[in-house]
Amino acid sequence: MITILGASGFIGSYLKRRLVASNIPFWAPARGESLRGRDLGRVIDCAGITADFRVRPYDTVDAHVSRVADIARNCDFESFVYLSSTRLYKDHPSSPARERDDIQVSPFGAGGLYNLSKATGEAVALTLGERGRVVRLSNVYGLGSEPHNFLASIIADALETGRIELETSLDSAKDYVGVDDVVALLPLIAAGGREPVYNLASGFNVTNGEIVEALARLTGCSVSVRPDAETWSYPEIDVALVREEFGFQPSRLLDDLPALVESYRREAAALTFAPSVDGSESPAAGSRSVTVDDRRGQVIVEEDGKSATYDLGTPEAFERVSDAWLRAGWWVKHIYTFSWMGRPIVQLPEDLVRLQELVARVRPDVIIELGVAHGGGLVFYASLCRMLGRGRVIGVDVEIRPHNREAIEAHPLFPHITLVEGDSVDPDIVGRVKAMVRPGETVMLMLDSNHSKAHVAGELRAYSPLVTLGSWIVVMDGYIMQLVAGGPRTGPDWSWNNPNQAAAEFARDNPDFVLDEPDFLFNESPLSKGVTYYRGGYLKRVR
């Protein structure tokens, strides 16, 4: 078995798809999920901080060093592959750069901390002896890479604005390797690599000038270079080890660029769809043109070269505009602007009103919320309990940060709240929560912690027996994840790796529960669907 760390990231998500296609068993633990006490098999560590390491120095050290040391010290595994970077060769005195060459790393400069943390992480992995291996990756390209990645950003500029402005000179050069080539080789290195360190690169450098010349030819964009542009050049990377041991024959960026540009063009121009929980299609990543024509009283939707028109005042028009509004809100972090009675609450206001309706309908004795964050949700449910004159709230989170705990415990509604810190699917934590529920009490369950499909499925298995007949489990945020998959602050796998998929499979396999979004308690409109992050995530216990 292979354990993928960082499976929701760019390389991790491609690796996961590769393993699925090859019928190789794997486990992709969610962020924060406990690894201790588990046999991890062959670990491939794809987790790390890339584009924003300059503004997240402490997270960078945690990701590249501390977490690796913790796994090395406390976990069982057959092998551990640590993904490092050919950035370490930036100041290399000779070319090509080979794995056994000494590297020079300085704490100064914008990349100093990044390089030092990667070098230290390598050293930790190599303390494992024959079990530890390091893979130094060059600049990995492919659809879905970091939006601030140089190549992704200039392709986006060429397609969206028709203009590229380079901040580094046309002579700047570095190595690029395709993500498909990378994920094809990583399982082989994990299974039986003979060397402690491998360069995984194309073996030749490509200049900025060559790239933008190709982009200008493919897109018709204009190209300019800032007057103060510096020349950044890396040595060529020696790939003899992977070529001789694994027969590695990498693709070439300039050969792949036409297909890559076309993929970005399709991603930007077409609306993609993901399966919804009821088997129909629901909007996912991508973009569409939605125009509201007040004069004609119409909503015009352009997608995939086709146009559809809906009359204002119809539910269909409202749904199209609502989905566009939800996607726009995600881009500007709209839900991060609200609080409830003094505590931040990262929820859509309409969803909070609908939850209030559900709580008023069920009148639960216990509301269990998995996922605490700032505590706004706990305070929200506690305020409903206070108004109803009954009920209490149990909040579970893998980490309740001290400042959040202090604020929650100081809140006037804290008498209605119990905090439990630990992994929500840890059997000991599940047992503690179950012990807090008395026989005969009505229980409602809110799932708002780690949103990966596997983690939510584990929570459903663990806590669903507590939910009483006629009550609900609210599986949060699956719909919005499908809508925005591939956008900012998302993973490319969100279209399928989301809570809704776990809820659908749970309902299919558990006849005690059905997918049942509650009707509006009051409705003088033609609408039957709200503006929500949760559509497809309501499970009702029916027997």
Side-chain angles (χ1 to χ4, degrees), residues 363-385:
R363 300 177 65 84
D365 299 298
V366 183
I367 301 173
I368 301 170
E369 182 183 40
L370 306 184
V372 169
H374 302 281
L378 294 178
V379 173
F380 172 75
Y381 301 125
S383 68
L384 299 180
C385 292

Side-chain angles (χ1 to χ4, degrees), residues 144-147 267 284-286 327 330-331 480-494:
S145 61
E146 283 277 351
E267 182 84 357
R327 285 196 294 270
W330 179 269
W331 279 72
I480 188 64
M481 288 176 70
Q482 292 178 174
L483 275 176
V484 301
R489 308 186 319 280
T490 75
D493 62 348
W494 276 21

Side-chain angles (χ1 to χ4, degrees), residues 5 57 60 89 179 198 201 211 292 351 382 400 456 482 532 539:
L5 305 181
T60 299
Y89 297 129
V179 65
Y198 293 94
I211 295 171
V292 179
D351 279 331
I400 303 174
V456 173
Q482 292 178 174
T532 177
L539 287 161

Side-chain angles (χ1 to χ4, degrees), residues 5 59 180 278 286 341 374:
L5 305 181
D59 290 338
D180 290 322
D278 62 3
M341 299 188 72
H374 302 281

Side-chain angles (χ1 to χ4, degrees), residues 425 430 434 454-465 506 510:
V425 295
V430 175
K434 287 183 175 179
H455 189 82
V456 173
E459 290 179 334
L460 287 168
R461 288 192 298 269
Y463 293 92
S464 58
F506 180 81
N510 293 270

